[in-house]
Amino acid sequence: MSWQGYVDQSLIGTGKIDAAAIFSAAGDSVWAASAGFTIKPEEVKALIDGMNAKEPANNNGTWVNPLAAHGFHVNGVKYFTLKSDDRSVYGKQGKVGIVVVRTKQAILIAHYPENTQPGEAAKITEQLADYLIGVGY
C-alpha cells in the first residue's frame, strides 16, 4: 500500500479520523497527507523535539515534557496535551483532537472530529503504528 493509502484507507477510511498526515521520522518530508491538512515544518519539529527532550520544571527540580507543559500546534491550531511520551502525543482542543504516534521511520498525525471518542482515534492510530513497526517502518 502507498503512504497515501495508509492515510486515505487506514486512517480516514475508518470514519473516525477526518484528517491525517505521515511524515518521515526526522520530520523533514511529508510522505502523505489528506487535502487541506497542512502541518508546518516547525510544528512537526516541535512535536519531535517534545517527544525527545525534557526540560527542568521551575522550582521543584523534576523534569517535565515541554509538550505537556506548553501544548503544541498542528495545522495552525493549539492543542492542550493529554498524553506525551517518546512514542505518542495526544492533544485536545474543545471537542476535537490530535493523535501523534512515532514509529521507527515515520510520524503519524491524525485529527479526529467531535463525534469520535479520543480513545477510538488513539486505538486506530496506534494500531497502524504497530503494523508499520512490525513491517520495519
Side-chain angles (χ1 to χ4, degrees):
M1 183 182 302
S2 72
W3 291 111
Q4 193 62 48
Y6 289 119
V7 167
D8 296 341
Q9 296 166 22
S10 300
L11 295 173
I12 295 174
T14 65
K16 302 293 183 182
I17 305 293
D18 62 0
I22 301 175
F23 287 82
S24 67
D28 55 0
S29 63
V30 181
W31 291 355
S34 55
F37 196 55
T38 307
I39 303 170
K40 297 175 187 169
E42 59 268 21
E43 293 174 336
V44 178
K45 183 178 179 340
L47 285 165
I48 293 168
D49 289 349
M51 294 169 101
N52 290 337
K54 296 178 188 247
E55 63 185 27
N58 288 337
N59 295 323
N60 63 10
T62 61
W63 294 82
V64 293
N65 184 298
L67 297 176
H70 308 294
F72 61 94
H73 289 82
V74 170
N75 201 25
V77 176
K78 183 171 183 176
Y79 292 87
F80 298 97
T81 306
L82 301 175
K83 171 189 175 181
S84 178
D85 59 34
D86 61 351
R87 173 184 157 109
S88 305
V89 177
Y90 301 170
K92 193 110 166 105
Q93 178 53 263
K95 295 181 180 183
V96 302
I98 292 284
V99 177
V100 179
V101 184
R102 178 167 49 187
T103 71
K104 296 173 187 174
Q105 298 183 37
I107 296 177
L108 312 177
I109 302 176
H111 180 276
Y112 59 90
E114 63 181 68
N115 62 340
T116 297
Q117 292 296 315
E120 293 175 301
K123 181 178 178 183
I124 290 163
T125 311
E126 295 275 1
Q127 284 179 337
L128 177 56
D130 288 341
Y131 168 78
L132 292 173
I133 290 167
V135 297
Y137 284 98

